[in-house]
Structures are given as structure tokens and as C-alpha cells.
């Protein structure tokens, strides 16, 4: 393919999904909800499993607990009541020459079922077979009606999209059926798979017997009847392996180049003058931990180097990342540059502002806060002080990243709680200066097993030690009916002069009722449960000034109990708070629970986390809660999270500024990763860092995938 036709193919692949038949204004949002915007996105949205409809089984051949497809005729059809709960159910008995099976509906429209399944109606049924004692049942089966004289061969011929083959089953959202999905993806494969390109050098492809990308996509979405279904389901077939290899190859190629020193950008080479860092050390009320000192050393080394720093600072909740940020900031300021700190919430920005300004004031330096909704006049002044360099360090929300915020000379950009931001924000921050150093901080750990292989070439610093005197937070689960016991624990803590959080979940779909629950709870804590105590309420819908007020009162100890939605999830630091009760704890994810719990146990006092799940909750939720009880270790929690959620996109490679992985799993595909890594590093060597003519297309594709990340564009 020439360069031009190649570009053409890309424009096709970048098209929106509504160019497909059957994808209109109603379907499009459903696909977008799956994160699918372009044709290319959808091509790489792979089936989660498969359904074997190559042939039909007779009823006596059906296997328990499996999705099965068979033909039968209706022998009986009608409404029954279950014996125990007397709930109504609709039951259809179907049979063939070999036996009978019962089909049941628990939610249904009776007239529809009656009309669909009269006695003698022949149909194909699809569903999971369950066995209850000697009886076999299928609940809410799918069905395709057959005319009395229609045989199977005819059905397969008339509907080849749904019968006579192995069918893909896609991960979907509500309102999108597998049948619709198969139609969409079949079209995608037929019309667009061939526009994708394989850029892996032929010798490597042959060595590992990889399929080309178009071949692999066709095979994985629409497998031949000859494939090994077992392999396919386990993700071990050649098509998936080929796609995974491709992804890893380009990932590792970028890393290999980086290691080879292909980073042509010039940054600021700071020098350590100790003008502010030593005085700060003298007035700090505590000593840096060993781990803080080590990572600070790593950061210093980067800052002194002539290339721009891109460092990820990872440290569990409460490990003291803020202090490391402060020390790094002082180095930048000593070199007459400014520092910007971006936080994900207004509450956290305000808190950082207080922390940083306290110390900077003492050193005679100036700190400024920048929020989205400040009074216009104040904002104008602030922007001017930033532009003239009067302010040494700016703390703010994403407002800092907006147009109109111009720095005099930005030397260091810091992003706190990086998991709340994307690569785009980092790039915006970077462009507020001329290649400033960038430090991103996160509490979300990269599982140990992976970090070395994958991130070995990126700068990652880990604070693996908590400040001295911390005691692990004791976590307990209380059923709704044991609520009084939880209150008792809170009361004990409050009586000793400590403070407490009560957290409510807030999700978009039920925002109103969630807010209401928190509001009602705040009132009942103040009036009934702990009358006489001072209770505050905090949620995201409040005005900035109101939020500041409440948060400040809590910080100063004027409020004893703070009822809040998850706005306090990240970063909030009030060491005197020693107990947190989390309502509907089952509705939170593991890492979110861990972040929340990290709000207590930040001082020397023993702390408690009380989890109150909803009345009914899933088995997965129960596992999450158990993990919380068992451990305080952020690494173990991240690993457990991975196990429970399955090897999906977990911590996204995004966090480390790498291209997203669409197909590959960092857990499952570690072996392929190592092969791809080896080949990529070799390839960089033999092509003299992709400078040969052969390597030209590979290089172009690499730049396309990595975008501006790691500034590889410079080699283009
Ligand atoms: P995180 O890493 O979660 O952002 P913070 O930076 O907010 O944690 O620090 C948590 C708490 O630990 C703060 O109250 C901070 O003052 C305190 N702290 C940080 N470093 C030390 C240290 N070396 N010794 C004692 N306390 C520390
Ligand atoms: Mg923090």
C-alpha cells in the first residue's frame, strides 16, 4: 500500500459508527457507552465468549450449566404459581424424540408468550440449562420460531448470521441485544477489517506464525467452523495471540527507543541550591521517612538532567506524597521558575493550598489558589500575578489548564491523584511552559509482578513505607441490623475528642436519591443519633464557598462528624479523624474503598473503618468487603481488585503515559509480552533506531499509536 492509500484507510477507520447500516441516533449512544466511537474502536472490541451453533443437540444430549441450542415442539404452555412464594411463572414444556425440558419465565407478558408458544409450535431454543434434582430447566430462553415443515438446513440457510456456526458473544450494555450486535459486527468485519494493516515485520510474523491484523480480526469475530472452541474461549487461539503480539510489539518498540536515548527534547537542568530546601527541613515538625528521601533523590536526579522529567510517584494513601511534592517544588523555585499543582477536586486544591502556603509563607515565598468559579476580579488579579511571576507556586483544579492561564516561567508541573486525569491533561500542563518537568502522583499501585517487565523503562518512584507510628486501620463489616454497634464505635471515638466521617455513595443514575439519603442522614445524626454533637454535610452540589466553610470547620475541629458523599474520596487529610463509616459499602469499588479508608489512620491514633453494606449485595461485593477487612496494603488490594474484576483494562497503561491496550491483558499475556519485548528491542537495534528505509512504515505507525506520549514525535 502506498502512503496515500494508507492514509485513506485510516480516514475510513476513524469514521463514526453511524456510517454502518442499522446504527442510527438510537443505537449510537449505546455503542458510545461501550467506549466505541470509531470504526477502529469497534473492530477491536472483541467477543467475550462464543456460542456453538454449528449443530443442534437433541434434548437428551444437553449439558447442564451450558449455553445450548436445540429444536423442540411445545407440549404444554401456561401460567403456574411457584409453591413457596406463590409468585406467578410461565412455563412451556418442549420435547423432541429424545426427551423433554421445561422453559420458565419469571418476568413476562402473558398474552405475548401465549401467542408465541401454542401447542405444537416448533422452534429453536437457546439458553443455559439448569438442573434442579431430576428436572432440567431453562430460564428466559431465546427462541426462533420454525414453520412446521421447515427443516434445520433451511433455517441455517435463511439465517446464516445466527445459525450453523460459532457465534461471537459481545460484552454489551443494556438495550443492545446479541442479535443486533452480531449484525453490526458482521458488517464491520466484511466492510472494514481489510482496511486494517499489519506493520509487524514479515520475518517476525513468520517466526511466531502470527496472522495479519485483517485475518486475525476476521477470525476472532467470525470464527471458521473448524477452530478449536476451547482455545478460542480461553483466548489461546492464534488470532487473539496475533492481536496481542501486535499491541505489545508497538508498546515495547516505544520503550526500546526511549531506552536507546531517542528523546531529543531539551528540558531544564535544575541545580540544587538548597536555598529553601534546607531551611524547610529545619522547620518541619518531623523527619522525612527513608522512602521519602529515596524518591526525592530520584526526582532530583531527573530534575538536574537536561531532558524533561516524566516521573510517576506512587505511594499508598497516607504515605506522604505531598511532602515530596513540596520539596521538589522548592527545587524548581530555587531555580527561579514557577510550580503548578493540579488537583482533581476543589476540596483537595483548597487543602493543598493551605498546606503549601503555610510552608512557603515561612520561607518568604508566594502561593496562589486558582479555582474555576472564583469572583472575576480576584481571578483577574491572580492570573496577572501568575503571568508576572509574582506567584511562585499555583495550586488549583483543572482551571489551571485552561486557556488564559499563562505562566512567567513554569519549571515544574505536578498532578496529584493522577488516576483522575488523562494523558490530555498532562499534555496541557506541559504546554504551559517550555518542556517543564512533570511529576504525577498516584496512590494506585502497579502490581509488582508487572512493573518490572512493563514499566522498567519509565521513571516510577515508589514510597513503600508509611510515616512512623501509623497503626493499621481496623475494618469491620456491620449488617444493617447491627447499625447500633457501629454508632457505638463512633460515639466512643467522638467522646475521646476525635472526629468521624460518614460516607454515602453518589452515582449519577440515582444522584437525587443519593443526595437525599446523605442529607437526611446528616439531620438524623444531629437530632437523633448524636444530639448535641456538631454535624456537617458536604456534597459536590454545594457552592465552593460553602464546601470550603464546612471543610475548614471540620479541619479545625469545630465539626465533630462530617456526613459526605464521595467528594472526600481523594487526598483529604485531617489526622484527628479516626473513624469512618461507609454506607452502602457494597456499591463502591475496591480501590475506591481503599482511597476512602485512607482518610483515617493518618495520625498516631488507632483508627476504624466501619462498612455497612446494603441489605442485598452481590457475591463480588462480599469479596471486596472481605478483602478490605483482611488487609490495609494498597498493593494487595490492587491485586485482589484485579482478580475480582478479571484482567480487563485495570489500571490502564494510560496512567504511565503508554498507549492503551485494547486486546492484550497484562495478567494473562505476560509470555507474549516477553516475546514481543525481545523482538522489539532487537528490531530497534538492527534498524539503527528505526532509521532504515524498511523501518519507515513501522516508525510511522509507532508515532500514530503513541501520539505525543513520551514525546516520540521528535523522531518523526
Ligand atoms: P498522601 O500520600 O496520601 O498524599 P499525605 O501527603 O497527605 O499523604 O500525608 C499524610 C499525612 O502524613 C499528612 O498529615 C502528613 O503531614 C504526614 N506526614 C508526611 N510525611 C511524614 C513524615 N515523614 N513523618 C510524619 N508524618 C508525615
Ligand atoms: Mg495526597
Amino acid at each position: 500500500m502506498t502512503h496515500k492509500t494508507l492514509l485513506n484507510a485510516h480516514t475510513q477507520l476513524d469514521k463514526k459508527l453511524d456510517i454502518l447500516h442499522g446504527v442510527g441516533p438510537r443505537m449510537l449512544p449505546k455503542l458510545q457507552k461501550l467506549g466505541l466511537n470509531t470504526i477502529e474502536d469497534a473492530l477491536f472490541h472483541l467477543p467475550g465468549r462464543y456460542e456453538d451453533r454449528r449443530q443442534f443437540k437433541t434434548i437428551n444430549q444437553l449439558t447442564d450449566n451450558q449455553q445450548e441450542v436445540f429444536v423442540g415442539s411445545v407440549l404444554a404452555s401456561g401460567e403456574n404459581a411457584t409453591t413457596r412464594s406463590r409468585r406467578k411463572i410461565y412455563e412451556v414444556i418442549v420435547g423432541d424424540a429424545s426427551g423433554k425440558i421445561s422453559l420458565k419465565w419469571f418476568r413476562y407478558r402473558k398474552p405475548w408468550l401465549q401467542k408465541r408458544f401454542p401447542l405444537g409450535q416448533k422452534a429453536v431454543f437457546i439458553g443455559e440449562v439448569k438442573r434442579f434434582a431430576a428436572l432440567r430447566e431453562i430460564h428466559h430462553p431465546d427462541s426462533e420460531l420454525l414453520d412446521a415443515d421447515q427443516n434445520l438446513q433451511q433455517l441455517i440457510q435463511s439465517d446464516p448470521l445466527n445459525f450453523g456456526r460459532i457465534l461471537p458473544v459481545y460484552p454489551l450494555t443494556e438495550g443492545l441485544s446479541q442479535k443486533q450486535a452480531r449484525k453490526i459486527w458482521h458488517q464491520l468485519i466484511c466492510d472494514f477489517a481489510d482496511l486494517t494493516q499489519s506493520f509487524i515485520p514479515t520475518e517476525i510474523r513468520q517466526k511466531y506464525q502470527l496472522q495479519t491484523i485483517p485475518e486475525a480480526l476476521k477470525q476472532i469475530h467470525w470464527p471458521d467452523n473448524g477452530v478449536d472452541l476451547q482455545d478460542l474461549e480461553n483466548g489461546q487461539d492464534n488470532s487473539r495471540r496475533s492481536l496481542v503480539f501486535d499491541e505489545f510489539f508497538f508498546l515495547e518498540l516505544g520503550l526500546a527507543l526511549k531506552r536507546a536515548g531517542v528523546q531529543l527534547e531539551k528540558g531544564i537542568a535544575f541545580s540544587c541550591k538548597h536555598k529553601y530546601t534546607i531551611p524547610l527541613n529545619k522547620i518541619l515538625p518531623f523527619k522525612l521517612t527513608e522512602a521519602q528521601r529515596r524518591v526525592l533523590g530520584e526526582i532530583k536526579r531527573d530534575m538536574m538532567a537536561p531532558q524533561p522529567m516524566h516521573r510517576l510517584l506512587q505511594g499508598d494513601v497516607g504515605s506522604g506524597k505531598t511532602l515530596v511534592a513540596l520539596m521538589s517544588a522548592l527545587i524548581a523555585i530555587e531555580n527561579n521558575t514557577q510550580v503548578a499543582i493540579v488537583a482533581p477536586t476543589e476540596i483537595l486544591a483548597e487543602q493543598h493550598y493551605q498546606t503549601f502556603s503555610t510552608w512557603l509563607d515561612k520561607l518568604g515565598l508566594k502561593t496562589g489558589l486558582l479555582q474555576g468559579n472564583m469572583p472575576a476580579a480576584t481571578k483577574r488579579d491572580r492570573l496577572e500575578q501568575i503571568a508576572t511571576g509574582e506567584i511562585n507556586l499555583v495550586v488549583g483544579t483543572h482551571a489551571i489548564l485552561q486557556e488564559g492561564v499563562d505562566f512567567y516561567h513554569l519549571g515544574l508541573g505536578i498532578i496529584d491523584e493522577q488516576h483522575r486525569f488523562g494523558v490530555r491533561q498532562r499534555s496541557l500542563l506541559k504546554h504551559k511552559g517550555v518542556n517543564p518537568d512533570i511529576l504525577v502522583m498516584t496512590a494506585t499501585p502497579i502490581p509488582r509482578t508487572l512493573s518490572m517487565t512493563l514499566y522498567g523503562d519509565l521513571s516510577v518512584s515508589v514510597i513503600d513505607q508509611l510515616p512512623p507510628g501509623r497503626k493499621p486501620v481496623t475494618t469491620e463489616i456491620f449488617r444493617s441490623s447491627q447499625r447500633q454497634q457501629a454508632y457505638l464505635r463512633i460515639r466512643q471515638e467522638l467522646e475521646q475528642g476525635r472526629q468521624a466521617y460518614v460516607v454515602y455513595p453518589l452515582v449519577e443514575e440515582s444522584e437525587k436519591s443519593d443526595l437525599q439519603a446523605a442529607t437526611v442522614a446528616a439531620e438524623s445524626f444531629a437530632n437523633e443519633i448524636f444530639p448535641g454533637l456538631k454535624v456537617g454535610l458536604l456534597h459536590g452540589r454545594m457552592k465552593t464557598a460553602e464546601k470550603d466553610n464546612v471543610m475548614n470547620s471540620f479541619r479545625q475541629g469545630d465539626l465533630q462528624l462530617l456526613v459526605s458523599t464521595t467528594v472526600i474520596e481523594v487526598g483529604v487529610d485531617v489526622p484527628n479523624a479516626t473513624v469512618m463509616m461507609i454506607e452502602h459499602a457494597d456499591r463502591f469499588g475496591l480501590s475506591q474503598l481503599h482511597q476512602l479508608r485512607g482518610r483515617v489512620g493518618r495520625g498516631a491514633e488507632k483508627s476504624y473503618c466501619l462498612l455497612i453494606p446494603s441489605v442485598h449485595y452481590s457475591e463480588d461485593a462480599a469479596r471486596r468487603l472481605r478483602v478490605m477487612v483482611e488487609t490495609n496494603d494498597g498493593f494487595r488490594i490492587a491485586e485482589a481488585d484485579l482478580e475480582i474484576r478479571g484482567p480487563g483494562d485495570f489500571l490502564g497503561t494510560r496512567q504511565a503515559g503508554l498507549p492503551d491496550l485494547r486486546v492484550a491483558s497484562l495478567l494473562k499475556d505476560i509470555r507474549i509480552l516477553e516475546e514481543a519485548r525481545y523482538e522489539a528491542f532487537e528490531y530497534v537495534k538492527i534498524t539503527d533506531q528505526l532509521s532504515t528505509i524498511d523501518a519507515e512504515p513501522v516508525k510511522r505507525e509507532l508515532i500514530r499509536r503513541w501520539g505525543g506520549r513520551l514525546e516520540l514525535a521528535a523522531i518523526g
Side-chain angles (χ1 to χ4, degrees):
M1 240 189 235
T2 67
H3 189 41
K4 197 147 171 209
T5 40
L6 217 159
L7 277 181
N8 240 333
H10 270 311
T11 5
Q12 289 294 320
L13 293 174
D14 281 344
K15 286 237 164 86
K16 285 244 187 68
L17 285 164
D18 53 8
I19 64 168
L20 297 171
H21 296 295
V23 178
R26 277 167 52 119
M27 183 64 75
L28 199 62
K30 292 176 191 163
L31 295 168
Q32 278 165 345
K33 209 164 166 198
L34 290 166
L36 308 178
N37 292 303
T38 64
I39 295 285
E40 181 167 352
D41 292 343
L43 280 173
F44 286 90
H45 184 72
L46 305 186
R49 54 187 186 83
Y50 297 85
E51 209 174 275
D52 191 353
R53 293 198 193 166
R54 282 175 293 196
Q55 51 212 349
F56 299 98
K57 291 185 176 169
T58 58
I59 289 176
N60 67 349
Q61 288 172 332
L62 303 180
T63 317
D64 293 347
N65 302 316
Q66 266 193 22
Q67 186 82 15
E68 296 280 30
V69 187
F70 61 95
V71 176
S73 305
V74 175
L75 303 176
S77 169
E79 202 169 38
N80 290 326
T82 53
T83 34
R84 232 180 286 148
S85 65
R86 285 205 267 127
R87 231 177 45 180
K88 293 232 165 108
I89 57 168
Y90 199 93
E91 183 171 20
V92 172
I93 310 280
V94 296
D96 65 6
S98 77
K100 284 191 260 190
I101 188 164
S102 151
L103 314 176
K104 286 183 176 167
W105 283 262
F106 300 92
R107 285 156 285 137
Y108 54 89
R109 278 182 298 139
K110 188 171 158 190
W112 189 83
L113 283 175
Q114 274 175 329
K115 185 146 173 268
R116 187 166 175 86
F117 298 117
L119 289 186
Q121 174 68 51
K122 215 162 101 178
V124 179
F125 297 97
I126 304 138
E128 191 177 324
V129 179
K130 301 232 161 88
R131 181 180 289 274
F132 296 92
L135 301 169
R136 282 181 308 169
E137 300 181 354
I138 297 180
H139 299 166
H140 294 262
D142 283 334
S143 56
E144 293 286 331
L145 300 185
L146 289 176
D147 293 339
D149 54 355
Q150 197 180 8
N151 68 30
L152 278 181
Q153 230 37 53
Q154 284 167 327
L155 173 74
I156 289 171
Q157 267 159 24
S158 71
D159 192 358
L161 227 59
N162 290 303
F163 295 102
R165 54 181 316 134
I166 296 171
L167 292 181
V169 179
Y170 292 97
L172 296 178
T173 51
E174 215 171 307
L176 187 57
S177 73
Q178 290 299 335
K179 222 170 146 177
Q180 288 169 310
R182 281 199 288 273
K183 231 166 144 176
I184 293 173
W185 265 275
H186 184 250
Q187 208 186 128
L188 266 166
I189 291 308
C190 294
D191 296 351
F192 297 97
D194 279 324
L195 293 179
T196 59
Q197 277 274 301
S198 289
F199 292 96
I200 298 217
T202 319
E203 314 81 74
I204 299 178
R205 212 165 61 219
Q206 281 166 354
K207 177 169 167 191
Y208 293 92
Q209 296 173 0
L210 303 173
Q211 295 172 348
T212 64
I213 301 297
E215 275 167 4
L217 283 176
K218 284 180 204 166
Q219 186 65 17
I220 204 161
H221 283 281
W222 207 237
D224 292 339
N225 277 351
V227 303
D228 184 331
L229 195 61
Q230 201 77 34
D231 277 358
L232 203 58
E233 294 251 311
N234 297 334
Q236 281 164 349
D237 63 297
N238 207 15
S239 54
R240 186 168 178 287
R241 198 173 60 88
S242 305
L243 295 174
V244 170
F245 192 101
D246 182 88
E247 265 188 345
F248 280 148
F249 183 78
F250 279 94
L251 178 74
E252 292 294 338
L253 210 53
L255 295 175
L257 280 183
K258 193 174 186 280
R259 169 177 287 182
V262 184
Q263 198 187 36
L264 305 179
E265 255 181 356
K266 250 176 93 78
I268 310 165
F270 293 102
S271 55
C272 288
K273 303 181 166 54
H274 305 299
K275 181 170 167 197
Y276 300 119
T277 45
I278 288 185
L280 177 77
N281 254 319
K282 288 210 178 109
I283 51 175
L284 272 181
F286 41 70
K287 287 211 329 241
L288 295 195
T289 62
E290 195 49 50
Q292 281 170 320
R293 234 187 330 229
R294 192 191 66 243
V295 302
L296 197 59
E298 292 164 3
I299 292 169
K300 267 190 198 160
R301 212 177 49 217
D302 276 9
M303 288 183 74
M304 292 166 78
Q307 305 91 26
M309 166 169 84
H310 292 269
R311 186 166 282 275
L312 175 72
L313 172 58
Q314 191 264 313
D316 206 349
V317 286
S319 60
K321 296 185 285 292
T322 316
L323 191 56
V324 174
L326 173 62
M327 298 292 278
S328 321
L330 291 179
I331 298 174
I333 297 173
E334 282 171 358
N335 286 265
N336 301 316
T337 67
Q338 291 166 293
V339 178
I341 301 184
V342 188
T345 65
E346 288 182 349
I347 291 172
L348 189 52
E350 165 76 26
Q351 173 183 296
H352 277 335
Y353 173 70
Q354 293 192 7
T355 312
F356 283 87
S357 59
T358 304
W359 299 112
L360 263 64
D361 283 354
K362 295 195 166 106
L363 299 167
L365 298 169
K366 194 162 167 58
T367 315
L369 178 66
L370 196 68
Q371 305 271 43
N373 45 3
M374 293 164 72
T378 322
K379 190 163 183 181
R380 211 174 319 120
D381 285 353
R382 198 69 38 87
L383 288 178
E384 195 176 312
Q385 293 169 319
I386 297 171
T388 57
E390 194 184 330
I391 287 181
N392 303 99
L393 182 145
V394 188
V395 185
T397 54
H398 56 271
I400 291 185
L401 306 174
Q402 259 142 30
E403 242 172 87
V405 183
D406 298 311
F407 287 81
Y408 182 69
H409 186 184
L410 181 67
L412 173 66
I414 301 177
I415 296 184
D416 194 15
E417 306 295 348
Q418 156 76 4
H419 66 287
R420 293 295 194 88
F421 294 100
V423 177
R424 207 179 100 77
Q425 275 92 357
R426 197 187 324 168
S427 143
L428 285 174
L429 181 59
K430 195 172 153 62
H431 288 102
K432 292 286 175 191
V434 183
N435 297 334
D437 280 356
I438 300 286
L439 179 68
V440 298
M441 309 199 287
T442 182
T444 312
I446 299 155
R448 272 184 274 251
T449 42
L450 303 174
S451 52
M452 278 329 288
T453 329
L454 185 65
Y455 300 86
D457 290 302
L458 274 178
S459 324
V460 182
S461 289
V462 183
I463 308 183
D464 52 5
Q465 178 186 28
L466 294 177
R470 295 284 172 80
K471 301 188 182 73
V473 180
T474 300
T475 303
E476 297 166 275
I477 303 172
F478 293 91
R479 296 231 152 229
S480 267
S481 55
Q482 302 168 311
R483 185 175 290 277
Q484 293 303 326
Q485 281 170 260
Y487 294 157
L488 194 64
R489 167 68 72 203
I490 297 177
R491 184 186 302 276
Q492 282 168 355
E493 290 300 303
L494 296 182
E495 277 170 0
Q496 291 177 53
R498 317 255 180 269
Q499 290 162 282
Y501 297 102
V502 175
V503 181
Y504 278 80
L506 183 64
V507 291
E508 257 174 80
E509 292 96 74
S510 52
E511 187 172 337
K512 254 207 180 126
S513 56
D514 282 341
L515 267 186
Q516 206 189 354
T519 313
V520 170
E523 275 162 21
S524 97
F525 275 111
N527 301 329
E528 290 150 38
I529 307 171
F530 300 127
L533 290 188
K534 276 172 262 122
V535 176
L537 173 67
L538 191 70
H539 59 74
R541 281 296 186 83
M542 288 160 57
K543 295 226 174 67
T544 308
E546 286 177 278
K547 275 192 274 191
D548 287 354
N549 249 334
V550 173
M551 207 53 226
N552 281 333
S553 306
F554 189 67
R555 203 168 281 134
Q556 286 156 16
D558 297 340
L559 292 173
Q560 288 155 297
L561 188 135
L562 184 63
V563 176
S564 144
T565 58
T566 42
V567 285
I568 58 145
E569 180 194 344
V570 293
V572 169
D573 185 39
V574 181
N576 189 47
T578 53
V579 56
M580 168 178 284
M581 179 166 112
I582 305 180
E583 292 280 355
H584 298 289
D586 54 296
R587 284 169 57 185
F588 294 93
L590 247 184
S591 55
Q592 207 182 3
L593 284 172
H594 181 60
Q595 267 284 350
L596 276 170
R597 180 171 61 183
R599 298 316 108 216
V600 295
R602 299 174 85 81
E605 305 304 331
K606 173 111 203 67
S607 293
Y608 300 89
C609 177
L610 320 172
L611 304 173
I612 316 236
S614 317
V615 179
H616 299 290
Y617 53 99
S618 68
E619 179 48 31
D620 274 359
R623 281 173 70 192
R624 289 199 291 273
L625 300 184
R626 279 199 299 273
V627 172
M628 287 297 290
V629 172
E630 279 159 21
T631 183
N632 274 275
D633 180 343
F635 270 113
R636 289 208 26 220
I637 288 179
E639 274 161 359
D641 199 16
L642 217 61
E643 268 169 39
I644 296 173
R645 280 197 295 173
D649 60 331
F650 74 110
L651 327 122
T653 40
R654 191 173 294 176
Q655 173 172 288
L658 302 173
D660 287 333
L661 296 174
R662 294 183 289 201
V663 180
S665 147
L666 293 176
L667 268 194
K668 225 166 42 175
D669 301 318
I670 247 345
R671 278 233 342 254
I672 307 177
L673 174 63
E674 312 233 307
E675 289 168 355
R677 179 180 176 82
Y678 174 79
E679 295 300 337
F681 275 68
E682 282 298 300
Y683 191 70
V684 164
K685 237 191 282 169
I686 60 172
T687 57
D688 196 12
Q689 300 171 7
L690 308 193
S691 64
T692 61
I693 296 198
D694 289 354
E696 195 57 37
V698 177
K699 186 155 106 186
R700 244 190 333 259
E701 177 67 5
L702 177 75
I703 290 166
R704 186 179 82 87
R705 291 199 199 183
W706 279 70
R709 286 171 274 218
L710 294 188
E711 317 317 314
L712 275 168
I715 64 163

